Amino acid sequence: MNLMPTLTTERLILRPFTLDDAPEVQRLAGTREIADTTINIPHPYPEGAAEKWINTRRDEYQKNGSVAWAVTLKDSSQLMGCISLGVDGKNGRAELGYWIAREYWGQGYCTEAAKKVLTYGFRQAKLNRIFASYLSRNPASGKVMSNIGMKKEGQMRQHIKKWDKYEDIIHYGILAAEYQS
Ligand SMILES: CC(C)(COP(=O)(O)OP(=O)(O)OC[C@H]1O[C@@H](n2cnc3c(N)ncnc32)[C@H](O)[C@@H]1OP(=O)(O)O)[C@@H](O)C(=O)NCCC(=O)NCCS
């Protein structure tokens, strides 16, 4: 049985989640700042939801190669976020998603993690395309996407209803051929 990969960067270790991470996932992802600009993170974060989510990660990986990595600090092993590739094998593509806990924002951690995940996606997973999208009022996420070489592909107006308000989303993507060059 294939094990989910662990990736290492200068300051970070991206590793599979374990059930021991559940309380920290609930605490960090449970803040309003994280729910505010993500689509699928519930708020308030329900008791037991982190365990349930972590438990399904291995099946997802076995099923289609989708991975969610715990973003941890190399020095202290502290969990500080999540970065994921949701793979659509039939079309050779994956959606990149991420969140970093509030206290760690603005230190380049997400960019560092996302760069490595892109390398994994194209070199190991042999994907043809990696894409991502963000709410237009969340330019920090767009900056991460452009930092790692993704290109803006378009905007969908009022595509998402968040906190009862319709919001625009902006799409970014990168192809394997662009990544190699
Ligand atoms: C988006 C998020 C992951 C960024 O994490 P991070 O570790 O702070 O990201 P980085 O430090 O690698 O890069 C952020 C970049 O955005 C820039 N930035 C921050 N706020 C910005 C703003 N209001 N306008 C424009 N750029 C901004 C930073 O200066 C930095 O740019 P730089 O690389 O040129 O210095 C983090 O803010 C987060 O988890 N937000 C909540 C969840 C979320 O929105 N997830 C993404 C859903 S699409």
Side-chain angles (χ1 to χ4, degrees):
M1 185 191 305
N2 287 338
L3 290 178
M4 275 190 263
T6 291
L7 308 175
T8 304
T9 70
E10 192 189 336
R11 296 177 295 170
L12 305 171
I13 295 179
L14 314 181
R15 59 154 177 84
F17 283 95
T18 71
L19 280 178
D20 290 345
D21 296 317
E24 207 52 358
V25 168
Q26 181 172 354
R27 183 178 78 83
L28 298 175
T31 61
R32 191 175 164 92
E33 287 102 330
I34 300 296
D36 184 40
T37 47
T38 49
I39 311 299
N40 295 321
I41 296 180
H43 191 78
Y45 204 100
E47 207 54 53
E51 283 85 351
K52 215 184 233 174
W53 179 78
I54 290 168
N55 264 330
T56 55
R57 290 313 91 198
R58 203 168 73 171
D59 283 353
E60 283 294 303
Y61 180 66
Q62 299 294 341
K63 207 165 64 191
N64 57 23
S66 293
V67 195
W69 287 273
V71 180
T72 66
L73 278 173
K74 208 187 247 181
D75 286 351
S76 63
S77 303
Q78 173 63 42
L79 174 68
M80 59 140 95
C82 171
I83 188 160
S84 61
L85 278 181
V87 175
D88 172 347
K90 180 167 166 271
N91 291 300
R93 68 177 186 227
E95 179 165 15
L96 174 70
Y98 42 70
W99 58 263
I100 297 289
R102 177 68 187 93
E103 63 204 278
Y104 298 99
W105 288 3
Q107 297 173 63
Y109 287 127
C110 192
T111 298
E112 188 171 322
K115 256 188 203 154
K116 190 73 185 186
V117 167
L118 224 58
T119 303
Y120 168 84
F122 289 127
R123 298 244 171 97
Q124 265 80 53
K126 307 283 184 209
L127 294 164
N128 179 56
R129 165 178 163 78
I130 296 177
F131 65 102
S133 57
Y134 67 95
L135 296 177
S136 60
R137 65 179 163 83
N138 185 20
S141 184
K143 191 69 205 320
V144 170
M145 293 172 200
S146 65
N147 280 349
I148 63 172
M150 288 180 151
K151 290 183 181 158
K152 184 175 174 182
E153 296 181 334
Q155 178 156 357
M156 291 169 88
R157 296 170 305 148
Q158 301 193 5
H159 189 67
I160 298 289
K161 194 174 183 186
K162 184 79 200 183
W163 312 125
D164 278 333
K165 195 171 164 272
Y166 291 108
E167 296 207 38
D168 295 0
I169 58 166
I170 299 176
H171 293 278
Y172 270 68
I174 180 169
L175 305 179
E178 293 164 344
Y179 178 77
Q180 307 306 350
S181 62

